[in-house]
Amino acid sequence: QVQLVESGGGLVQAGGSLRLSCAASGRAASAYAMAWFRQAPGKEREFVAAITWNGGTTYFADSVKGRFTIDRDNAMNTVYLEMSNLKPEDTAVYYCAARIQLNFAANYFSAGTYPYWGQGTQVTVSS
């Protein structure tokens, strides 16, 4: 019901900033809650940030709290992840995901609850 296309990844030095974008398309695309997850080589996919369908509530993993922000522009059906003070441990493939908002506050952090995923974009932070 929704397609997600990510962009904005790249190579950045530690302490730098990067902005990722996720463009959503499909019927009622703006009605979905959305999130960012990341996966580093040899590690499990982990939750990064999430946002409700109208942008009114956001959630962050403890590892990125205070450094990352998430926002959405429903007029453009786009979700952003703004990353600052990047660290080498932030290096990973970052994925955009979407789901209906039912019970969102209870399990927004669970990758298994998101049926729609983007292709991923690589973020590499050098020290």
Side-chain angles (χ1 to χ4, degrees):
Q1 297 298 297
V2 61
Q3 295 78 46
L4 307 174
V5 179
E6 303 166 13
S7 62
L11 175 65
V12 64
Q13 291 185 343
S17 300
L18 203 62
R19 176 176 172 171
L20 306 183
S21 299
C22 175
S25 62
R27 184 170 58 87
S30 63
Y32 289 83
M34 301 188 71
W36 289 91
F37 290 78
R38 66 187 183 186
Q39 187 166 21
K43 293 189 175 183
E44 297 180 356
R45 187 167 299 189
E46 66 173 343
F47 168 76
V48 176
I51 189 167
T52 53
W53 73 271
N54 65 354
T57 305
T58 59
Y59 306 91
F60 298 94
D62 289 343
S63 59
V64 306
K65 185 79 172 182
R67 300 189 298 119
F68 291 11
T69 62
I70 185 170
D71 198 7
R72 69 188 301 166
D73 181 353
N74 282 352
M76 298 297 294
N77 291 327
T78 303
V79 176
Y80 304 97
L81 182 69
E82 298 179 349
M83 306 180 291
S84 62
N85 192 24
L86 284 162
K87 304 175 180 180
E89 51 263 45
D90 294 318
T91 296
V93 176
Y94 283 69
Y95 298 92
C96 180
R99 56 168 277 189
I100 60 173
Q101 203 164 284
L102 180 65
N103 205 31
F104 194 58
N107 56 23
Y108 60 86
F109 49 83
S110 178
T113 66
Y114 292 81
Y116 307 109
W117 293 84
Q119 81 286 356
T121 185
Q122 176 72 47
V123 172
T124 302
V125 183
S126 62
S127 59

